[in-house]
Amino acid sequence: MKKFLTLFLVITMLFSLSACGEKTSNDTVSNSKSVSKAITKADTIEELDELVLKDVTDTITTLTTEFEKLSTDIATYDKYKTDINKVKEFYDKVQNDTKLLCIRLREYSSAYAELILSSDKSFDDKYDEFDALYDSVYEDARDEIYDEIYDGILDDMYDGFYDGILDDAYDNIPYDEWSDARSDEYDLWSDTRSEVYDIWSDAGSDIYDFWSDMRGEMWDKDIEKAKKKLQEFIADIEILYGKS
């Protein structure tokens, strides 16, 4: 996993949309609760790229550090049995942190759109600039989530608990207890992994569709329709925050 300066970034973007460089109202984002929580201003696509990658990296680093502590604290079957609630809580945290991160990726996507649409560049240049959204958010950020959480932390939990502590306990505890504990652990791991995959996949679909829609409107040179779709996208983000 790439290493960056540790900096917790609460992402939300607020830009005035404009057509051909002329400012319009902030109706696109002014009523967005998720966006108004905190504002991080970025003046360039490159700055947005850095914010996205740092946010993903910080989230993964935090989860990795917490898992390392958990696995150190729970190094035996007796500790696992005593602190099973801590294990369950961490599975919940992995799922919830992934969900919130994927919502923030949608917010970043809206920030790219706002920055691009508010520029005075040509439609052709705006069309090309939307590739930054695809590369940074849809590909790079999602690849990190898949590799480091879905195929990383969760695989490490499987190795450490199900295939580690619980497997090693086979000769030391009654079979029924061993079988139940191992079955319960597998269910926890499997359910969490499935949920994380669904969260990751749903975010990918939403972000891809948004990127495709924005590029389509730039191709058609329809700035007003692009603004409308952006407003709808931000409204959907608010709904996701309400459910989280």
Side-chain angles (χ1 to χ4, degrees):
M1 182 176 63
K2 307 178 184 72
K3 295 189 179 294
F4 294 87
L5 294 176
T6 302
L7 174 64
F8 180 77
L9 298 170
V10 179
I11 57 108
T12 47
M13 313 303 301
L14 181 59
F15 297 100
S16 296
L17 290 175
S18 64
C20 300
E22 184 178 17
K23 292 185 179 179
T24 63
S25 70
N26 273 345
D27 289 345
T28 304
V29 295
S30 62
N31 294 322
S32 173
K33 294 179 181 178
S34 59
V35 170
S36 64
K37 288 186 304 180
I39 298 172
T40 301
K41 292 184 178 180
D43 297 322
T44 67
I45 295 295
E46 291 73 21
E47 289 176 2
L48 270 175
D49 291 343
E50 292 178 2
L51 293 178
V52 173
L53 195 50
K54 285 180 180 178
D55 191 8
V56 173
T57 301
D58 287 345
T59 302
I60 292 169
T61 299
T62 297
L63 286 173
T64 301
T65 300
E66 290 188 23
F67 172 66
E68 289 172 351
K69 183 179 185 306
L70 184 69
S71 60
T72 298
D73 292 342
I74 302 177
T76 65
Y77 174 73
D78 287 341
K79 284 291 293 180
Y80 176 88
K81 185 177 179 181
T82 300
D83 294 334
I84 185 59
N85 285 337
K86 292 183 180 179
V87 176
K88 293 177 179 178
E89 287 169 2
F90 186 72
Y91 275 117
D92 288 341
K93 180 175 177 57
V94 171
Q95 181 176 322
N96 190 59
D97 284 7
T98 303
K99 180 189 295 183
L100 291 175
L101 176 57
C102 284
I103 295 175
R104 295 200 300 274
L105 291 187
R106 293 174 174 88
E107 283 193 287
Y108 277 124
S109 299
S110 71
Y112 276 96
E114 292 177 46
L115 184 59
I116 293 168
L117 294 180
S118 66
S119 77
D120 59 359
K121 295 182 179 180
S122 69
F123 280 103
D124 287 344
D125 287 342
K126 289 176 181 178
Y127 178 91
D128 291 338
E129 282 197 327
F130 271 103
D131 277 347
L133 187 165
Y134 183 95
D135 293 341
S136 178
V137 182
Y138 181 79
E139 280 201 337
D140 293 345
R142 288 177 66 252
D143 282 353
E144 284 291 291
I145 293 170
Y146 188 95
D147 293 342
E148 303 297 338
I149 298 179
Y150 180 78
D151 257 358
I153 293 169
L154 289 174
D155 275 6
D156 290 342
M157 294 188 75
Y158 180 94
D159 294 340
F161 296 134
Y162 180 80
D163 215 23
I165 290 172
L166 294 176
D167 190 53
D168 294 342
Y170 177 78
D171 293 327
N172 302 317
I173 61 176
Y175 177 81
D176 287 346
E177 179 182 342
W178 175 84
S179 179
D180 288 345
R182 208 157 182 257
S183 178
D184 290 345
E185 172 61 30
Y186 183 86
D187 288 343
L188 277 172
W189 172 82
S190 179
D191 290 347
T192 303
R193 201 163 188 259
S194 294
E195 287 296 326
V196 166
Y197 182 88
D198 288 344
I199 291 165
W200 173 85
S201 179
D202 288 346
S205 295
D206 289 348
I207 292 165
Y208 182 90
D209 289 345
F210 178 67
W211 167 80
S212 180
D213 287 345
M214 290 294 102
R215 292 229 307 173
E217 301 312 331
M218 295 306 95
W219 182 266
D220 293 338
K221 296 180 171 53
D222 193 337
I223 195 75
E224 292 305 321
K225 195 170 182 180
K227 291 178 185 179
K228 182 179 179 180
K229 289 188 175 180
L230 174 56
Q231 291 171 355
E232 292 170 351
F233 189 67
I234 292 174
D236 289 341
I237 293 171
E238 291 182 5
I239 293 171
L240 289 173
Y241 268 118
K243 292 179 178 179
S244 66

